């Protein structure tokens, strides 16, 4: 998959700027605060309908403006595809090849994208919700139905939670909760299956990469822990029983205690939790391995690599890991956009762009 062109109008610090990208590596160089990340964010927003930095579109609007436009030309399996996102009056209109799209899930995953920044270390260091998000984002790119599934599940959780807090007679509460529980079990089981399936496939791909990054000395293991059970099969078959068992407690404490919204993805380094025992460098290797594994899985499923966006990642990696990453990108011909603050003498590759105060100039 490839991006040929992006046009940003009144998006962040861009008034009206168009960039034509090239196949292979594209490097965006500029001092801090010039607009490098804003370009990456614009592309990510166009492809996913969401920013990874803010929740509200309002913040993406160039100051004092009332609407922004993003246009992008892409190639997918050698077919041209144009995407357009227009935000105005707190509403957004999305078009694929000039045709309006009704729902976000109609276009998410059309063009796949992997984004990697130093903040991704939260995948290791942060709480379970960060790791669930990582899994869900990846699944959503491959199976658009996962987004609707999560939305339906979250709605059921929300309703059940409101019911637990409501001042209703106990016997009435029981009956209503049972109805939501049935839905939560049905939707939750599908979510668990999707996540467990992806985790298994990621484990196979990521461990091989991690071994290479650590000169075969260390192992990376990941597994999805569902409903606190030993295995996913057990979790699925025990789901109704666990629900019933906790019902009293749930009513008493007014919180939901069972469901995949509490699950975690365990990331182990040499059989120990990476979160607790991995050094900073090892944590970076773990994330890098998972990201590269994601690239491989998308290629296996879609027949071509996704677009790769690397925001300030290279300066964070030591020489060995950086060289590994660059070799990987170059040998697999993944189209990659890399941001960095100063031109690296050792990095004489790709097409270079200079970014200064919301203007972009191609350098070679
Ligand atoms: N909504 C906005 N409107 C105008 N300028 C913005 C907006 N949001 C951020 N900026 C400006 O964009 C710049 C930051 O851009 P960014 O892409 O994060 O920089 P970097 O080149 O360091 O990656 C800052 O100068 C900031 O003031
Ligand atoms: Mg930046």
């Amino acid at each position: 998959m490839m991006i040929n062109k992006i046009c940003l109008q009144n998006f962040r610090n861009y008034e009206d700027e168009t960039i034509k990208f090239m196949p292979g590596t594209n490097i965006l160089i500029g001092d801090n605060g010039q607009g490098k990340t804003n370009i990456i964010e614009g592309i990510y927003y166009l492809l996913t309908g969401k920013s990874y930095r803010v929740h509200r579109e309002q913040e993406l609007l160039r100051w004092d403006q009332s609407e922004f436009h993003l246009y992008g030309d892409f190639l997918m399996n050698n077919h041209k595809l144009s995407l357009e996102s227009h935000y105005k009056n707190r509403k957004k209109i999305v078009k694929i090849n000039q045709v309006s799209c009704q729902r976000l899930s109609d276009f998410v995953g059309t063009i796949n994208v992997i984004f990697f920044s130093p903040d991704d270390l939260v995948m290791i260091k942060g709480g379970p919700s960060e790791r669930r998000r990582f899994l869900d984002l990846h699944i959503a790119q491959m199976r658009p139905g996962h987004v609707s599934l999560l939305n339906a599940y979250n709605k059921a959780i929300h309703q059940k939670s409101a019911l637990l807090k409501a001042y209703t007679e106990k016997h009435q509460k029981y009956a209503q909760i049972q109805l939501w529980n049935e839905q939560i079990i049905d939707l939750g089981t599908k979510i668990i299956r999707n996540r467990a399936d992806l985790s298994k496939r990621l484990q196979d791909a990521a461990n091989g990469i991690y071994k290479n990054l650590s000169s075969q000395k260390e192992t990376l293991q990941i597994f999805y822990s569902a409903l606190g059970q030993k295995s996913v099969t057990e979790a699925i078959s025990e789901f109704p029983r666990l629900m019933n068992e906790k019902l009293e407690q749930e009513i008493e404490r007014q919180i939901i205690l069972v469901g995949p919204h509490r699950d975690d993805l365990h990331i182990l380094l040499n059989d120990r939790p990476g979160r607790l025992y991995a050094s900073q460098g090892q944590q970076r290797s773990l994330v890098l391995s998972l990201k590269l594994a994601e690239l491989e899985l998308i290629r296996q499923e879609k027949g071509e690599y996704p677009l790769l966006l690397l925001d300030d990642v290279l300066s964070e990696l030591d020489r060995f890991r950086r060289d590994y990453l660059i070799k990987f990108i170059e040998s697999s011909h993944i189209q990659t956009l890399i941001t960095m603050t100063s031109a690296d003498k050792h990095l004489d590759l790709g097409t270079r762009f200079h970014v200064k105060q919301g203007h972009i100039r191609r350098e070679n």
Side-chain angles (χ1 to χ4, degrees), residues 251-290:
I251 290 174
E252 213 158 280
R253 293 173 56 189
Q254 303 190 344
I255 49 167
I256 304 174
L257 296 168
V258 185
H261 60 291
R262 299 166 63 95
D263 285 351
D264 200 356
L265 174 76
H266 291 299
I267 303 177
L268 306 180
L269 170 66
N270 300 329
D271 302 325
R272 292 206 170 83
R275 188 167 52 87
L276 302 177
Y277 297 104
S279 71
Q280 189 87 351
Q282 284 170 325
Q283 292 187 2
R284 291 199 175 111
S285 290
L286 291 173
V287 178
L288 181 58
S289 306
L290 289 167

Side-chain angles (χ1 to χ4, degrees), residues 12-13 30-39 53 58-63 311-312 355:
R12 294 280 195 188
N13 68 334
D31 292 339
N32 282 323
Q34 301 302 312
K36 303 180 298 295
T37 299
N38 293 344
I39 300 171
R53 291 206 280 192
Q58 207 64 20
E59 289 161 55
L60 305 175
L61 273 176
R62 187 173 147 87
W63 292 320
D311 195 14
D312 289 337
V355 183

Side-chain angles (χ1 to χ4, degrees), residues 96-293:
I96 301 185
N97 292 335
Q98 280 89 46
V99 180
S100 289
C101 225
Q102 296 305 315
R103 291 171 311 171
L104 201 68
S105 53
D106 288 345
F107 81 97
V108 172
T110 311
I111 303 278
N112 297 109
V113 60
I114 297 289
F115 169 73
F116 184 14
S117 86
D119 290 343
D120 283 310
L121 273 185
V122 295
M123 239 160 74
I124 310 293
K125 293 196 281 198
S129 65
E130 303 289 350
R131 288 177 286 280
R132 289 194 300 268
R133 203 166 84 93
F134 162 71
L135 287 177
D136 288 333
L137 277 175
H138 183 93
I139 300 167
Q141 289 214 37
M142 311 252 248
R143 308 196 200 302
H146 192 69
V147 179
S148 331
L149 184 59
L150 287 173
N151 287 341
Y153 179 83
N154 289 334
K155 205 172 134 198
I157 288 289
H158 190 78
Q159 300 279 4
K160 178 175 166 184
S161 174
L163 195 59
L164 287 172
K165 292 189 178 90
Y167 192 76
T168 319
E169 285 225 25
K170 215 170 176 182
H171 71 276
Q172 247 179 343
K173 237 184 200 180
Y174 270 107
Q176 288 173 335
I177 286 174
Q178 293 296 4
L179 287 178
W180 287 117
N181 278 357
E182 277 170 31
Q183 275 213 37
I184 290 171
I185 289 171
D186 178 42
L187 300 163
T189 301
K190 290 178 184 142
I191 293 173
I192 292 174
R193 283 217 171 93
N194 282 352
R195 287 181 183 164
D197 174 50
L198 172 64
S199 309
K200 198 175 165 304
R201 296 187 330 140
L202 267 177
Q203 147 75 30
D204 296 340
N207 187 34
I209 297 166
Y210 192 86
K211 275 208 152 98
N212 289 334
L213 272 174
S214 67
S215 318
Q216 310 295 325
K217 289 195 284 278
E218 298 172 343
T219 59
L220 157 64
Q221 250 187 309
I222 66 171
F223 68 91
Y224 183 66
S225 160
L227 313 180
Q229 301 299 296
K230 280 200 204 77
S231 73
V232 168
T233 324
E234 206 168 307
I236 290 173
S237 69
E238 296 291 302
F239 204 167
R241 186 185 60 79
L242 292 165
M243 276 273 203
N244 278 333
E245 240 176 51
K246 297 278 181 191
L247 188 58
E248 278 301 323
Q249 249 192 69
E250 287 188 326
I251 290 174
E252 213 158 280
R253 293 173 56 189
Q254 303 190 344
I255 49 167
I256 304 174
L257 296 168
V258 185
H261 60 291
R262 299 166 63 95
D263 285 351
D264 200 356
L265 174 76
H266 291 299
I267 303 177
L268 306 180
L269 170 66
N270 300 329
D271 302 325
R272 292 206 170 83
R275 188 167 52 87
L276 302 177
Y277 297 104
S279 71
Q280 189 87 351
Q282 284 170 325
Q283 292 187 2
R284 291 199 175 111
S285 290
L286 291 173
V287 178
L288 181 58
S289 306
L290 289 167
K291 290 280 168 182
L292 298 183

Side-chain angles (χ1 to χ4, degrees), residues 5 21 25 48 108 118 129 144 151 159 162 192 232 298 308 314-315:
K5 189 177 92 175
F21 295 106
T25 312
T48 63
V108 172
S129 65
N151 287 341
Q159 300 279 4
I192 292 174
V232 168
I298 291 178
L308 178 60
L314 289 194
S315 57

